[in-house]
Amino acid sequence: MTTTSLTTTSPTTTSRTTTSRTTTSRTTTSRTTTSPIGNRSAVRTRSDNVSAVPAALKSEWIKLASLRTNRVILGLTAVVGAFTAWALAVSAKGESLTASELFIYPLPLIATLATVTGILMFTAEAQHGTLATSLTARPARWVIASAKAATAAMVGLVLGATGMVAGFGGAVLGGLDLGNGSALVSRSLWALLYVCLAALIGLGVGMIARHSAGAISGLLMWSFVVESLFAPALPDGLVHFLPFSAGYRLLDAGSNFNPPVAIASELARPQYALIFGAYALATLTIGTFLLYRRDTN
């Protein structure tokens, strides 16, 4: 018996070629966003500085209102105006004075308070180190100087109006008649100009001196001592141009109101206003120039 051997053919294992899939990495394209600000110059333009003036004014008013000293000066203005007018009214009952004239009499003292306030507006920041913060926030020095000048002028108007209202009330309480009110408006406007310019001079002196005690003592010494003592020895041509002598002559309170330094032939009131205003402009100009030269960083 023949045995047939069966040959078992093993199946051919076909190796499957695994095709590796090439993973294509997606290239992320960064989108460049063009900002309109990027096209602008980094340097501040004049229009930028002009648009910053309202914010600087607001900042000055906030600083002015937050200081207790300024509130004390405002209250002292009312007290000085009322008490001075009342005391003069009580002592001058035999004279022909009226409340419409006497309310101007306390204004030289009110102008002194306005001058002190103008000085402190700058020296307080310079001495306490907060001026550097203001200069960093607004590099344009003229913006800061303009905002402070406008604020000082408003301070002068507020103090002047407060002093006149209080003075009129004090004169009435002292027993004086109201008098003729025909010249009341013009007297008030000249008095407001006087106190306003006094506040601006104080600011200018404060910007120059940068020290509260030195600026206040020096200005008071000049106003009450130097001009009062040496002005009578000077010719009238020079007395006209003394700052506080010129400012004093802006006040119109009738024939009974005489400046401390007499001048034989006085100039017109508008001319004295120009002289006093020139001193305010000069001190502010010098102070602004020094602000550019001293604070360069």
Side-chain angles (χ1 to χ4, degrees):
M1 183 174 182
T2 306
T3 306
T4 305
S5 62
L6 299 176
T7 306
T8 305
T9 306
S10 62
T12 304
T13 305
T14 304
S15 63
R16 298 178 179 178
T17 304
T18 305
T19 304
S20 62
R21 297 179 180 178
T22 305
T23 305
T24 305
S25 61
R26 297 180 181 178
T27 306
T28 305
T29 305
S30 60
R31 297 181 180 179
T32 305
T33 304
T34 305
S35 173
I37 301 177
N39 296 329
R40 296 180 182 177
S41 176
V43 180
R44 293 176 61 91
T45 61
R46 181 175 293 273
S47 60
D48 294 330
N49 293 329
V50 172
S51 61
V53 172
L57 284 171
K58 183 179 179 181
S59 175
E60 291 298 326
W61 274 112
I62 291 174
K63 289 184 287 187
L64 191 71
S66 61
L67 291 178
R68 185 183 302 174
T69 305
N70 296 325
R71 294 193 294 269
V72 172
I73 291 177
L74 181 60
L76 190 61
T77 299
V79 172
V80 169
F83 179 77
T84 304
W86 174 83
L88 291 175
V90 171
S91 61
K93 283 187 175 180
E95 301 179 11
S96 59
L97 278 176
T98 61
S100 60
E101 295 175 342
L102 192 61
F103 81 103
I104 293 295
Y105 280 54
L107 265 295
L109 297 177
I110 305 303
T112 302
L113 294 175
T115 304
V116 172
T117 306
I119 290 174
L120 294 177
M121 282 181 59
F122 191 89
T123 57
E125 288 192 60
Q127 289 184 256
H128 292 89
T130 56
L131 180 62
T133 305
S134 300
L135 294 176
T136 303
R138 296 179 181 86
R141 306 312 196 243
W142 71 265
V143 174
I144 297 177
S146 300
K148 287 186 177 296
T151 306
M154 290 300 298
V155 166
L157 294 177
V158 171
L159 293 182
T162 302
M164 285 189 292
V165 171
F168 195 88
V172 172
L173 291 176
L176 295 184
D177 295 332
L178 296 180
N180 187 8
S182 60
L184 193 63
V185 175
S186 62
R187 286 171 180 168
S188 301
L189 292 178
W190 283 114
L192 287 176
L193 179 62
Y194 168 56
V195 182
C196 179
L197 291 177
L200 290 174
I201 289 178
L203 175 62
V205 172
M207 294 175 70
I208 296 171
R210 293 198 169 202
H211 192 275
S212 301
I216 293 173
S217 60
L219 206 59
L220 294 180
M221 181 71 69
W222 177 270
S223 175
F224 291 104
V225 178
V226 175
E227 288 195 11
S228 298
L229 289 179
F230 296 101
L234 297 175
D236 290 349
L238 293 179
V239 178
H240 289 311
F241 295 96
L242 294 177
F244 293 100
S245 176
Y248 203 95
R249 284 171 168 79
L250 296 182
L251 300 177
D252 176 21
S255 58
N256 293 320
F257 185 78
N258 297 317
V261 180
I263 300 178
S265 57
E266 295 187 351
L267 303 176
R269 190 167 286 109
Q271 293 175 300
Y272 285 120
L274 290 177
I275 294 173
F276 200 46
Y279 278 104
L281 180 61
T283 54
L284 288 174
T285 302
I286 296 173
T288 304
F289 173 76
L290 293 177
L291 184 64
Y292 274 91
R293 293 298 300 270
R294 290 168 174 170
D295 302 282
T296 56
N297 296 325

